[in-house]
Amino acid sequence: DFEEKLVQITKGEQFSQVFLELNPLHTVPVIDHKGFILNQGHAIMQYLCDAYCLPDHWYPKHLELRAVCHSWLDFRNCELYKNGITNYVYPQVLEYQINKNAFQASNKKKVLMGKTHLDFSMDLLDRHLIANKFLLGDEISIVDLSVVSLLYSLELTGDSPDWGKHHVKRYLHEFQTWFDKNLFDEIFFCA
């Protein structure tokens, strides 16, 4: 059982005194699990996998496979998100929201830099997926949840989440197919 509490970040609710007591970083997500407060999405997913003894494919217990999992999470944060999405998607989306008629030259440079990083990262991702159904092998993991959710932010700019990459396109299809068929059983019938 859990109780969901939506935080309206567009209204600044993450800066309320109640929220800052939970998370001084004023970021979402954050959980309160039996009095244990934790923020940062990846840390939360890792904790919940261990706390509820989820099947090993979600967050591997084997040391080397878990290290590979962490490596992909770092790739997601540092390459895809920090270098790519924040430079490519955010300037276009935020600038459009602020001034629908003008796009500043400084943002054009940032977008080009972000596109270059995304080209590199998506090529790397596509090559890895030649031999892998999901990022850690044949079964879905928290890495896939994180990477796929980020890839779909490309739609905000009118780009395809697969970035025109054949194996990434197949990966997104595999993810959606798995999600549609299995999520209910994964959540409600784990032993």
Side-chain angles (χ1 to χ4, degrees):
D1 288 335
F2 74 94
E3 179 185 346
E4 179 181 26
K5 293 184 180 177
L6 294 177
V7 177
Q8 299 291 328
I9 58 175
T10 57
K11 295 179 180 177
E13 289 180 2
Q14 72 274 26
F15 298 107
S16 71
Q17 189 60 38
V18 172
F19 190 84
L20 288 172
E21 287 174 14
L22 287 176
N23 185 2
L25 295 174
H26 58 79
T27 58
V28 293
V30 62
I31 64 168
D32 177 345
H33 183 245
K34 301 176 186 177
F36 175 64
I37 310 297
L38 186 62
N39 60 45
Q40 303 298 331
H42 294 154
I44 291 169
M45 287 191 293
Q46 293 164 1
Y47 170 78
L48 291 174
C49 285
D50 287 340
Y52 290 99
C53 301
L54 293 185
D56 196 51
H57 67 88
W58 283 110
Y59 185 52
K61 290 170 185 55
H62 184 272
L63 182 63
E64 290 174 0
L65 195 51
R66 188 170 273 205
V68 171
C69 175
H70 291 170
S71 178
W72 277 110
L73 291 172
D74 286 349
F75 168 82
R76 182 262 187 215
N77 282 344
C78 298
E79 295 303 322
L80 279 176
Y81 179 73
K82 184 180 175 210
N83 293 331
I85 299 297
T86 58
N87 289 319
Y88 183 76
V89 174
Y90 292 169
Q92 293 181 74
V93 173
L94 295 176
E95 181 66 22
Y96 181 77
Q97 293 299 322
I98 294 167
N99 185 351
K100 293 177 174 56
N101 297 320
F103 191 70
Q104 297 175 356
S106 62
N107 279 344
K108 287 181 182 176
K109 283 183 176 179
K110 197 176 222 187
V111 168
L112 287 174
M113 183 175 70
K115 183 181 182 317
T116 301
H117 283 290
L118 279 171
D119 286 339
F120 172 80
S121 297
M122 294 300 279
D123 282 343
L124 185 75
L125 193 60
D126 200 58
R127 284 192 308 273
H128 177 75
L129 291 166
I130 290 170
N132 295 283
K133 184 174 181 179
F134 296 106
L135 289 172
L136 296 184
D138 289 333
E139 295 189 81
I140 200 166
S141 70
I142 63 171
V143 175
D144 302 300
L145 296 177
S146 185
V147 168
V148 167
S149 66
L150 187 64
L151 292 179
Y152 274 97
S153 70
L154 292 169
E155 289 183 335
L156 294 171
T157 60
D159 290 290
S160 173
D162 61 38
W163 202 248
K165 303 296 179 187
H166 175 72
H167 301 291
V168 175
K169 184 176 185 173
R170 181 210 26 93
Y171 166 66
L172 293 172
H173 176 75
E174 292 282 357
F175 179 89
Q176 186 64 49
T177 300
W178 185 95
F179 203 84
D180 290 344
K181 283 196 317 191
N182 297 305
L183 186 62
F184 184 84
D185 287 344
E186 269 303 307
I187 292 173
F188 295 103
F189 298 106
C190 283

